[in-house]
Amino acid sequence: MKQHKEFQYIYKKGKNIHTQSVVLFSLPKQTIHKVGFTATKKIGNAVKRNRAKRRLRALFCEYSASLQDGTYIFVAKQSINEVTHKQLKDDFEKILSKSKSFKADSQ
């Protein structure tokens, strides 16, 4: 996803779930598999924001095969730069399981 109006639609219509380092906005839809990653200026300079989005993308690649169809937006929180990879992975799993995004046959 790249267009502002797509992000705004998901922010308004989708449900959101928070953890310590990530926020997930999701909207389930059949045959659509879109994803977006954002990091606000609260995170820090461009280097820190890009690093936060890279970390989220890497985790999403691990879990993308086991996710249901739909649109997902992952928003990095300020604490993402201080957490370890294991903590971030735990948050990521927690946020996906809370949103019931996993397919029925996985996990």
Side-chain angles (χ1 to χ4, degrees), residues 35-84:
V35 66
F37 302 93
T38 61
T40 64
K41 287 191 176 184
K42 291 179 186 177
I43 304 281
N45 61 13
V47 175
K48 290 179 182 177
R49 292 193 305 270
N50 288 335
R51 182 172 187 264
K53 289 188 282 187
R54 274 196 315 271
R55 291 179 78 185
L56 291 175
R57 277 189 209 107
L59 282 172
F60 181 77
C61 286
E62 287 182 40
Y63 294 103
S64 64
S66 62
L67 293 179
Q68 297 176 2
D69 289 344
T71 307
Y72 302 95
I73 298 175
F74 294 93
V75 181
K77 284 187 170 181
Q78 273 185 306
S79 63
I80 195 166
N81 290 324
E82 285 85 43
V83 298
T84 65

Side-chain angles (χ1 to χ4, degrees):
M1 289 187 358
K2 293 188 179 185
Q3 292 187 343
H4 180 72
K5 65 181 179 180
E6 287 180 304
F7 280 89
Q8 292 304 314
Y9 180 78
I10 303 303
Y11 289 147
K12 288 179 185 172
K13 301 285 183 181
K15 65 177 183 175
N16 59 351
I17 295 143
H18 299 257
T19 60
Q20 178 188 358
S21 55
V22 183
V23 180
L24 171 65
F25 290 88
S26 63
L27 189 63
K29 284 201 175 180
Q30 295 296 328
T31 69
I32 294 177
H33 201 70
K34 289 186 176 183
V35 66
F37 302 93
T38 61
T40 64
K41 287 191 176 184
K42 291 179 186 177
I43 304 281
N45 61 13
V47 175
K48 290 179 182 177
R49 292 193 305 270
N50 288 335
R51 182 172 187 264
K53 289 188 282 187
R54 274 196 315 271
R55 291 179 78 185
L56 291 175
R57 277 189 209 107
L59 282 172
F60 181 77
C61 286
E62 287 182 40
Y63 294 103
S64 64
S66 62
L67 293 179
Q68 297 176 2
D69 289 344
T71 307
Y72 302 95
I73 298 175
F74 294 93
V75 181
K77 284 187 170 181
Q78 273 185 306
S79 63
I80 195 166
N81 290 324
E82 285 85 43
V83 298
T84 65
H85 179 72
K86 182 174 178 357
Q87 290 171 321
L88 184 58
K89 190 172 182 173
D90 290 344
D91 275 355
F92 210 80
E93 285 179 12
K94 186 188 309 180
I95 212 168
L96 290 173
S97 62
K98 274 186 183 178
S99 68
K100 299 180 179 84
S101 299
F102 285 115
K103 290 180 182 173
D105 58 350
S106 64
Q107 287 218 355

